[in-house]
Amino acid sequence: MTAALLASCGTAPLSAPEAQGSGASLQALGNDSSMKLAEASGRIGAWADGRIGAWATGRIGAWATGLNTSTAPGGTPNTFSENAAAWNLIRLTEAQALAPNLGRNVVVAVVDTGVDLNHPALTGHLTDPATWYDALSQDTNPSDEPTATSGLYGHGTAVAGLIVQVAPEARIMPVRALNADGEGTVASLAAGIDWAVEHGAQIINVSATSDKDNDLTKAIARAADRGVYVTLAAGNAGDDKVAFPARNSTKKNTLGQYAINAGAVNSDATLASWSNYGNALELTAPGVALASAIPGGDYALVSGTSFATPVLSGALALALGEPYKQSYVGQLALQLGATATNINAANSALTQGKSDGDVLGNGLLNAQAFLQKVR
């Protein structure tokens, strides 16, 4: 079954140097007309012409020039100064001090557009090549590859780059299920999730949205039944309704226990204007103008609930890398929500007159409080 899918990047018309003058933008599947157009054309909601698309802006230079700050105890460089405010917001430095293994050897599958397998940011951070998979070509080369328009080229690389900033010793399992134009099917995403489960993933990052589809939901449920955590993007239509499959993570079953969805906030804890929200949103995390890897050894600022999602993946990896309390086995996603920071006051225009949880879920990820509780 084919359905429209979108790697959930920022829907605001952020410009990339390569896209300026072309009218490039990234169209989220936020209304019926765009959904029908995407299904009819076989595309997945991305009509951007730039090399890295409208979800990224400002290719800031070589990776080495940006690798200039640290969140890790001991001062080991592992992130970018551009991300300092975002990491301070979720108290990442304090969380990493509580998780000295820094997610060591925790396997996080990135089911996405592929990954730049030779990027310096990911050197030493990838799983054994025997675990890699391309669900589109059905081979073992999940490289993040450009296409004619390449509106989402580099998306999976950027997701992977954020995970290893939050959990520097985690291992990324690259699984390609969407191409650089954002094209793929529910079947390819489901196959990628199943592969990841069978090859040892402990966390699966799915920064993509779809229409309601049972096959994808069933794949996520199978992962949950095997004790694998799944992080999901809430979507970027700016609607008060979380997109599928992320909506399913609120179910009162095993899927809801192991899956968790993410909306995106700015560095001042205000919700991004394009982030979905509502009573099915579980958690928010930084997702605006985060510095991360893109193919070719470069990095860029990336925005979207796509990029809030790997922040949750990294936080889970920090916990899984430690001898955490046995009472929280299988409960870590739930504890991410239970330890979150209420951000209603920073978002009063959205939350005024509403009950807690009706708009912004549990609030903002507090990585320090999470590690303090589960350790």
Side-chain angles (χ1 to χ4, degrees):
M1 179 177 181
T2 301
L5 291 164
L6 171 66
S8 306
C9 316
T11 60
L14 301 173
S15 62
E18 297 84 349
Q20 288 176 350
S22 67
S25 64
L26 190 63
Q27 175 65 54
L29 303 180
N31 56 60
D32 291 341
S33 61
S34 63
M35 181 74 78
K36 291 174 182 176
L37 176 60
E39 290 174 340
S41 66
R43 293 178 63 80
I44 306 175
W47 292 277
D49 297 323
R51 187 179 80 84
I52 53 174
W55 50 274
T57 184
R59 289 178 62 231
I60 309 172
W63 173 264
T65 64
L67 192 65
N68 60 3
T69 191
S70 175
T71 55
T76 304
N78 72 300
T79 188
F80 300 100
S81 58
E82 290 87 351
N83 292 343
W87 300 152
N88 287 340
L89 190 68
I90 64 169
R91 304 188 69 82
L92 179 58
T93 299
E94 295 86 349
Q96 290 177 337
L98 291 166
N101 291 324
L102 300 175
R104 183 171 300 134
N105 296 325
V106 175
V107 176
V108 186
V110 175
V111 181
D112 211 290
T113 63
V115 168
D116 180 352
L117 303 173
N118 298 309
H119 201 293
L122 302 177
T123 299
H125 292 289
L126 300 180
T127 57
D128 188 294
T131 67
W132 302 352
Y133 187 55
D134 185 331
L136 299 180
S137 302
Q138 297 185 8
D139 59 30
T140 57
N141 181 15
S143 296
D144 204 340
E145 301 173 350
T147 60
T149 52
S150 297
L152 292 177
Y153 179 47
H155 186 273
T157 301
V159 167
L162 288 168
I163 292 168
V164 298
Q165 288 182 62
V166 177
E169 296 297 328
R171 293 292 176 264
I172 302 298
M173 178 191 293
V175 179
R176 183 172 176 258
L178 302 171
N179 72 12
D181 287 325
E183 293 177 346
T185 64
V186 163
S188 66
L189 271 182
I193 291 169
D194 286 338
W195 172 277
V197 172
E198 293 301 324
H199 288 80
Q202 295 159 272
I203 304 163
I204 301 175
N205 191 106
V206 182
S207 289
T209 63
S210 74
D211 59 350
K212 186 176 181 179
D213 179 83
N214 286 334
D215 290 340
L216 184 54
T217 299
K218 288 177 180 176
I220 296 168
R222 287 192 292 271
D225 286 342
R226 295 280 292 273
V228 178
Y229 291 100
V230 183
T231 58
L232 300 160
N236 305 292
D239 290 341
D240 63 350
K241 182 180 291 186
V242 171
F244 286 101
R247 286 186 65 81
N248 293 320
S249 66
T250 59
K251 291 184 175 180
K252 304 299 184 183
N253 56 13
T254 306
L255 187 158
Q257 177 182 336
Y258 280 91
I260 188 166
N261 67 53
V265 295
N266 297 287
S267 59
D268 62 356
T270 57
L271 189 73
S273 61
W274 34 258
S275 177
N276 288 356
Y277 57 97
N279 61 12
L281 182 66
E282 293 189 278
L283 204 58
T284 65
V288 180
L290 298 177
S292 192
I294 58 171
D298 278 341
Y299 76 100
L301 302 181
V302 298
S303 295
T305 59
S306 276
F307 306 111
T309 305
V311 178
L312 300 193
S313 296
L316 287 169
L318 289 177
L320 287 171
E322 303 300 321
Y324 64 95
K325 296 172 183 173
Q326 285 297 301
S327 59
Y328 291 122
V329 172
Q331 304 291 316
L332 293 180
L334 299 176
Q335 295 310 312
L336 280 176
T339 55
T341 301
N342 187 301
I343 55 171
N344 284 357
N347 293 275
S348 57
L350 279 175
T351 60
Q352 190 171 13
K354 303 289 181 64
S355 300
D356 284 355
D358 282 353
V359 179
L360 298 174
N362 292 296
L364 173 69
L365 169 67
N366 184 327
Q368 178 187 20
F370 169 60
L371 266 298
Q372 283 176 329
K373 184 168 185 179
V374 304
R375 287 285 332 258

